[in-house]
DNA sequence: GCCAACGTTGGC
DNA sequence: GCCAACGTTGGC
């Protein structure tokens, strides 16, 4: 079972939107970056755990967890001519973009700020810190355990 | 709002 | 296939 980190801007869609209807799933879509796409298409599997990270806010932080309830599948928005995310170069035969459905699991009592992540030695190799612009990134099992430990106590 | 880093596009 | 120009992201 894998661990991932998904980034989102909370003023658009954040952990509060996920937890609002805890039994519903949310489609994590509109991702238009090839590296992130490759993870969604090839590696994200139903049952994987997903850390949710809030960007473009203060403080930026890992704020909770969700669970992937599907494998990655073609993002419908790429076929919707009315969508801003419509991609004329994509086809049903050869979809270019992928998405995944997730369900809220937990909202951390103590969000883990980017500053705290950066000063935690066990996390120095984290993809989030190495490639800060990548919106879907892998988390190793060791990193996941460290993040869970940090979430249990304030900084 | 600024700016650095990074990703994408398109002419050649 | 290179690379300059341009667009986007995201921390601050």
């Amino acid at each position: 079972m894998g661990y991932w980190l998904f980034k989102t801007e909370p003023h658009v869609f954040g952990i509060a939107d996920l937890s609002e209807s805890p039994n519903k799933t949310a489609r994590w879509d509109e991702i238009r970056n090839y590296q992130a796409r490759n993870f969604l298409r090839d590696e994200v599997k139903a049952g994987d755990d997903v850390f949710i990270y809030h960007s473009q806010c203060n403080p930026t932080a890992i704020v909770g967890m969700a669970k992937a309830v599907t494998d990655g599948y073609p993002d419908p928005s790429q076929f919707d001519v009315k969508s801003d995310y419509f991609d004329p170069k994509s086809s049903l035969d050869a979809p270019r973009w992928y998405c995944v459905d997730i369900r809220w699991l937990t909202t951390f009592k103590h969000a883990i700020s980017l500053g705290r992540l950066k000063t935690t030695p066990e996390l120095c190799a984290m993809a989030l810190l190495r490639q800060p612009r990548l919106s879907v990134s892998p988390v190793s099992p060791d990193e996941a355990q460290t993040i869970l430990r940090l979430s249990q106590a304030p900084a």
Side-chain angles (χ1 to χ4, degrees), chain A residues 35 39 44 52 77 113 121 128:
Chain A
Q35 220 181 329
F39 288 131
V44 176
I52 302 295
S77 69
S113 70
L128 172 74

Side-chain angles (χ1 to χ4, degrees), chain A residues 57-118:
Chain A
C57 58
N58 188 19
T60 58
I62 298 177
V63 293
M65 292 188 81
K67 185 162 282 284
V69 297
T70 65
D71 293 354
Y73 63 95
D75 178 349
S77 69
Q78 71 195 307
F79 305 121
D80 177 1
V81 291
K82 286 174 294 188
S83 168
D84 288 346
Y85 292 86
F86 174 68
D87 187 341
K89 292 177 183 163
S90 193
S91 70
L92 287 167
D93 285 352
R96 184 177 283 206
W97 307 112
Y98 282 69
C99 62
V100 66
D101 291 353
I102 66 172
R103 181 187 298 123
W104 176 80
L105 277 184
T106 53
T107 299
F108 291 155
K109 193 167 183 181
H110 308 288
I112 310 161
S113 70
L114 179 61
R116 195 173 178 208
L117 296 172
K118 282 180 176 169

Side-chain angles (χ1 to χ4, degrees), chain A residues 1-42:
Chain A
M1 195 183 70
Y3 296 96
W4 301 94
L5 184 140
F6 289 1
K7 273 191 309 192
T8 187
E9 300 178 21
H11 66 276
V12 178
F13 188 91
I15 192 91
D17 298 291
L18 273 182
S19 63
E20 201 172 56
S21 39
N23 297 317
K24 272 207 212 159
T25 63
R27 177 182 290 152
W28 207 264
D29 59 358
E30 300 178 347
I31 290 171
R32 295 294 182 267
N33 167 284
Y34 286 105
Q35 220 181 329
R37 185 283 309 268
N38 291 345
F39 288 131
L40 289 171
R41 184 186 59 186
D42 305 332

Side-chain angles (χ1 to χ4, degrees), chain A residues 17 21 35 51 98 107 116 120 122 129 136 139 143 146:
Chain A
D17 298 291
S21 39
Q35 220 181 329
F51 292 100
Y98 282 69
T107 299
R116 195 173 178 208
T120 300
E122 296 94 316
L129 305 181
V136 171
V139 175
E143 288 163 354
T146 300

